[in-house]
Amino acid sequence: MKRAAGLVAVLAVVVVLSLCVGDRWIGPGEVYRALTDFTGSDSDRVVRYLRLPRTVAGLLVGAALGLSGAVMQGVTRNPLADPGILGVSAGAAVAVVAAIGLFGIHSLSGYVWFAMGGALVATVAVYLVGAVGGTTPVKLALAGAAISALLGSVTSAATLLDLSTLNEYRFWVVGSLSLADHGIVAQAVPFVAFGIVLALVLGRSLNQLALGDDLAQALGTRVLLIRVLAGLAVVVLAGTATAIAGPIGFLGLAVPQVARLVVGPDQRRILPWSMLLAPVVLLLADIVGRVVARPAELQVGIVTALIGAPLFIALVRRRRTAAL
């Protein structure tokens, strides 16, 4: 309980830092006044119209990616599963490219449906390919890698053939929170909230799935139904996160591993920890990206990759990646 309270406190501190740090420092007092007594000054406008939606978007995207990664690792019993490795993000990305290039859609309200549709198709394709001859975690990972490579090739071909699509896509594909505004956040909240509720209620069933399908069925778990609901939660969460900020790697892969090291193998604790820890990592990465390359910014997707890759390699090399 103390560790959970500590994590919430850390998240609160990071949120305040995200509101204060940028091309110039705005103190917590000014931030508070901008949020409660808006006067229209430059500082108030920066906080209310730029940093506030960017921070809320970071909370939504981080929670969605951390939770979707934890659900995928639980339902597949594969510690290497995440929306990136199993093709979900690639499916969402290729669908967004289609939305831009074929249908001229340039808003999240249009993106999000394409992103979730693409994520759903990719998830089903990976499962069907990985299920040939019997489903195993390794086969699912290989199928995900193959489908991701295929979809990545389609995305590259489509953007290279259409310069206008490439110009819009290249800012989105690196993973960024800088384009978020109040409209995007408001549109994303219902989807993320639905995915969070659905994922959190699956904790007990994911614990039973970890015992194996036969034993889970003997305990009364409806295995197929739980997998369908888990897939729905992943599609909604990962699809919405990808629509908001573009593909952001390693967050859904590494954060549940860290949560598992802290709280143990119980999915009822891993899921909420992943939901809270991932926004901490994502917002810290975004803050670092704002200050390390001044006056320009380093996109958050690049920073998470730079941080996440060595972190995950360190976890694997220390052989502390807990079994599911």
Side-chain angles (χ1 to χ4, degrees):
M1 190 65 186
K2 289 182 179 178
R3 288 184 297 190
L7 178 60
V8 172
V10 170
L11 179 59
V13 171
V14 173
V15 167
V16 173
L17 283 175
S18 179
L19 293 171
C20 294
V21 176
D23 56 351
R24 70 181 180 86
W25 170 264
I26 298 177
E30 286 184 85
V31 169
Y32 178 77
R33 284 193 296 274
L35 298 177
T36 59
D37 185 21
F38 183 75
T39 63
S41 66
D42 290 344
S43 296
D44 288 1
R45 290 179 181 277
V46 167
V47 171
R48 180 164 290 196
Y49 297 124
L50 295 178
R51 294 185 188 175
L52 179 61
R54 184 171 183 164
T55 301
V56 177
L59 291 172
L60 294 175
V61 171
L65 290 178
L67 202 48
S68 61
V71 170
M72 290 195 77
Q73 292 176 14
V75 76
T76 63
R77 302 200 298 274
N78 185 349
L80 298 180
D82 93 323
I85 288 182
L86 292 189
V88 180
S89 297
V94 75
V96 168
V97 169
I100 297 171
L102 299 179
F103 301 100
I105 295 173
H106 306 285
S107 66
L108 175 67
S109 57
Y111 281 172
V112 69
W113 295 109
F114 279 85
M116 285 194 287
L120 175 62
V121 171
T123 301
V124 172
V126 168
Y127 184 79
L128 292 178
V129 172
V132 175
T135 305
T136 67
V138 174
K139 289 175 65 177
L140 282 176
L142 292 174
I147 296 292
S148 293
L150 174 64
L151 294 176
S153 300
V154 173
T155 300
S156 299
T159 52
L160 290 174
L161 292 174
D162 186 339
L163 185 59
S164 61
T165 301
L166 175 62
N167 286 335
E168 185 166 345
Y169 176 73
R170 65 193 177 96
F171 290 104
W172 178 82
V173 72
V174 295
S176 174
L177 300 174
S178 62
L179 299 178
D181 58 28
H182 289 296
I184 290 176
V185 169
Q187 292 169 16
V189 165
F191 295 102
V192 176
F194 171 76
I196 287 175
V197 172
L198 181 57
L200 291 180
V201 299
L202 294 174
R204 180 172 176 271
S205 299
L206 293 178
N207 280 340
Q208 294 174 341
L209 281 183
L211 303 174
D213 290 0
D214 293 338
L215 188 51
Q217 287 177 332
L219 293 172
T221 302
R222 300 172 68 179
V223 173
L224 179 59
L225 176 62
I226 296 303
R227 284 187 170 147
V228 170
L229 293 177
L232 177 61
V234 169
V235 165
V236 172
L237 290 170
T240 305
T242 305
I244 297 172
I248 295 178
F250 288 104
L251 206 62
L253 178 65
V255 167
Q257 295 294 339
V258 176
R260 188 170 292 107
L261 290 174
V262 175
V263 300
D266 190 339
Q267 294 289 344
R268 292 172 297 181
R269 302 179 70 182
I270 292 173
L271 294 175
W273 263 78
S274 299
M275 184 183 69
L276 294 174
L277 184 58
V280 172
V281 177
L282 186 65
L283 286 176
L284 282 176
D286 189 43
I287 293 169
V288 170
R290 299 180 204 178
V291 299
V292 296
R294 284 179 172 175
E297 288 189 5
L298 205 57
Q299 304 300 329
V300 68
I302 299 173
V303 180
T304 56
L306 292 173
I307 297 173
L311 173 63
F312 187 72
I313 291 171
L315 289 172
V316 172
R317 285 182 60 84
R318 293 179 64 181
R319 298 182 179 180
R320 296 187 62 186
T321 304
L324 296 175

